Amino acid sequence: MRDKFLALDLGTSSARSYVIDQKGKVLGKYSVKWVIKKNREYFFMAEYDLNRLKNLIPRLIKGALSVSKTDPTEIAGICGTGQRLGGVIYGKEMKEIYIGPDFDSRGVMVENYPNEESLNEIYNETGHYPPFLYMPMRLLWFKENEPELYRKVKAISGFTEWIFFKLTGKLVGDVASASELSLFNYKNLKWSKKALDTFDLKEEFLPEIKKAGDVEGEVSKEASQSTGLMEGTPVTVCTVDTHLALLSTGLFKGTGVVAGHTMPCLSITNFPPVDPEMKTWLGPYAFGGYYSESNAGITGGLIDWFVEGFLKIKDYKKFERLFLRSPIGSKGVYFKVSENPTDIKKLAEQKMESLIVFPNPSVPFLENPGIEGFARSIVEYIAFSMRANIEEVEGVTKEKGEVIRLTGGITKLTGFLKIVADVTGRELLVNRMSEGTLQGMLILLLVSSGKYSSLKDALASIADLNNVKQSRFSEKYEEYYKNFISLNSLYSQL
């Protein structure tokens, strides 16, 4: 009986595969750690070892089937996503000649950088900036530094399209994954002529665009032989991980946040939310409408940094107990890793320093904040940053969400959620299943397999949202938030 699904997620820290049932229960999980080839001279360059990735997709699929003790005949459908800015370059016979993570920023070293006027025009069509984050600039780097590889280029894609290709032999993506190549025109939902001309690319190099959630392929004979899956198993067009995670919270319009290693903050609206100051991203939302997006930067990664560096043990409940011992305001400690709200035009100006403000120890009546004050300052920094970036995107869309829909690993910390509700002054709707991306893929699979007729019906069948309201302490945070914003000028002087 075909009543199980297979989902793949090529995340930042590892590549993962899951076998799940129709209620979202994980029957088996298998993961593979990435092996990154870093450049010793240029730390911002990174790519994956192609030799180790030759059999990645088959390995993931076989692993999940084995762990879950699932027969391939039981798989009703497959869906796969990955890092939004991860990229693949294909050469002769569509063999991979480069696979890079979303943090490969080699584009900053391109000598023949497109002029500012062209980049502004590209932003006006694609809604994406700065260019060094995206695949076209990586291609220009190869053109200048590895011309032999560049001459072999036959196609490029993101990770979502790569998974689909490895399973079906067809290079297919959706409007949201296409946007992350910084080559897609959000106005007419076609490839941007201006961007293609600027980067000397042909449309034939790019994926075919289909609707996320539709079955547009099936497991090929070659993929069946390498993975063990049944030939002809339906493969669903997937989309980017952030949109999938937000789908799991029921976000079709309004404000949503993915609180993971970093923190994308999106405002979804019915019209393209153009930012005249070019501080935010915009593009088509995978499930209808458009998004304005900012990012609070490293957040969950910041908690990992503190837990591993100061507590010396990965015990997040201990971290939560620690920061809850400190009162509102962290006894005068402020932590700042970047300016917030984020301005995408300044992303290339990442500082090597952080700012930590402690009460002056020479003043006798000021209480020592202790390590618990330091811990709470990090949590409050994350909450303040979330609010700043939410207000930034809502300022562009001119639409304030009545609630904030939230998912991601940090949401396991209930103390953090209460602080967020108080800092933002809004009610939260939180997905109790922290792996929102996986749940989003399940929703697509439930519809594409015919189990439900709409995304909303499928969502209703598995949704488990927790309501978190602000407390009587919410007003007290206003002054602390103003202080946090005022530190932007001090941080900029570092």
Side-chain angles (χ1 to χ4, degrees), residues 226-240:
S226 65
T227 65
L229 290 169
M230 297 296 293
E231 183 178 351
T233 302
V235 182
T236 297
V237 177
C238 207
T239 188
V240 294

Side-chain angles (χ1 to χ4, degrees), residues 1 8 44 49 70-71 84 121 131 137 169 172-173 215 217 220 249 260 286 294 329 362 379 400-401 458 481:
M1 180 178 179
L8 285 76
F44 42 79
D49 188 330
T70 298
D71 190 277
R84 286 173 71 179
E121 291 175 359
M137 289 298 288
V172 174
V215 175
S220 66
T249 70
S294 190
S362 66
V379 176
K400 181 177 180 178
Y481 179 68

Side-chain angles (χ1 to χ4, degrees), residues 75-145:
I75 298 297
I78 308 167
C79 194
T81 187
Q83 303 168 40
R84 286 173 71 179
L85 303 186
V88 181
I89 300 176
Y90 307 82
K92 186 179 180 181
E93 298 180 349
M94 291 296 285
K95 300 297 183 183
E96 300 87 349
I97 55 177
Y98 160 86
I99 301 176
D102 51 12
F103 51 86
D104 181 11
S105 301
R106 69 185 65 213
V108 298
M109 296 190 298
V110 168
E111 291 185 9
N112 296 313
Y113 217 76
N115 63 58
E116 197 63 29
E117 182 180 356
S118 292
L119 294 178
N120 289 342
E121 291 175 359
I122 291 174
Y123 176 83
N124 288 334
E125 287 194 4
T126 68
H128 283 60
Y129 193 95
F132 73 83
L133 291 175
Y134 302 101
M135 281 297 291
M137 289 298 288
R138 298 186 203 181
L139 279 174
L140 287 187
W141 183 90
F142 283 112
K143 184 178 183 180
E144 293 179 356
N145 296 275

Side-chain angles (χ1 to χ4, degrees), residues 408-426:
I410 315 178
T411 61
K412 294 178 182 178
L413 301 174
T414 56
F416 163 73
L417 295 176
K418 292 176 182 178
I419 291 174
V420 168
D422 284 343
V423 167
T424 60
R426 296 195 222 178

Side-chain angles (χ1 to χ4, degrees), residues 233-463:
T233 302
V235 182
T236 297
V237 177
C238 207
T239 188
V240 294
D241 53 1
T242 299
H243 293 206
L244 289 165
L246 292 174
L247 174 63
S248 76
T249 70
L251 183 67
F252 294 96
K253 193 172 187 295
T255 302
V257 175
V258 181
H261 184 82
T262 63
M263 186 176 283
C265 303
L266 281 73
S267 177
I268 310 300
T269 185
N270 294 327
F271 60 90
V274 179
D275 183 352
E277 297 184 47
M278 290 177 57
K279 290 184 176 181
T280 59
W281 295 286
L282 75 144
Y285 187 49
F287 312 111
Y290 298 84
Y291 64 84
S292 176
E293 178 179 357
S294 190
N295 195 307
I298 184 171
T299 47
L302 187 57
I303 292 176
D304 288 339
W305 170 83
F306 180 88
V307 168
E308 293 171 10
F310 293 88
L311 301 187
K312 304 296 184 183
I313 182 174
K314 273 203 169 185
D315 185 340
Y316 295 97
K317 285 300 179 183
K318 179 179 179 180
F319 172 72
E320 184 172 30
R321 291 192 298 270
L322 183 66
F323 74 71
L324 288 176
R325 278 167 34 196
S326 184
I328 290 174
S330 308
K331 296 183 179 178
V333 181
Y334 286 91
F335 194 90
K336 206 163 187 64
V337 175
S338 62
E339 290 187 49
N340 275 288
T342 298
D343 182 344
I344 64 173
K345 297 194 303 299
K346 297 181 179 180
L347 289 179
E349 304 170 12
Q350 178 72 48
K351 296 182 182 298
M352 296 295 106
E353 305 87 8
S354 298
L355 178 66
I356 306 174
V357 177
F358 284 101
N360 190 340
S362 66
V363 180
F365 57 82
L366 291 180
E367 188 177 357
N368 187 326
I371 193 172
E372 64 269 22
F374 189 11
R376 188 176 183 108
S377 75
I378 288 174
V379 176
E380 290 183 340
Y381 164 80
I382 294 171
F384 292 149
S385 298
M386 181 192 298
R387 173 175 167 177
N389 285 279
I390 286 174
E391 291 176 349
E392 183 76 17
V393 294
E394 290 180 342
V396 175
T397 62
K398 304 293 191 294
E399 296 182 7
K400 181 177 180 178
E402 293 183 7
V403 300
I404 299 172
R405 295 179 182 270
L406 196 61
T407 186
I410 315 178
T411 61
K412 294 178 182 178
L413 301 174
T414 56
F416 163 73
L417 295 176
K418 292 176 182 178
I419 291 174
V420 168
D422 284 343
V423 167
T424 60
R426 296 195 222 178
E427 180 181 344
L428 310 179
L429 280 178
V430 185
N431 184 358
R432 293 182 194 271
M433 180 180 176
S434 60
E435 293 193 58
T437 298
L438 175 60
Q439 199 167 27
M441 285 192 279
L442 173 61
I443 293 167
L444 293 188
L445 289 164
L446 287 170
V447 175
S448 66
S449 64
K451 306 297 181 186
Y452 292 92
S453 60
S454 72
L455 295 176
K456 290 184 178 180
D457 288 343
L459 172 68
S461 74
I462 61 172

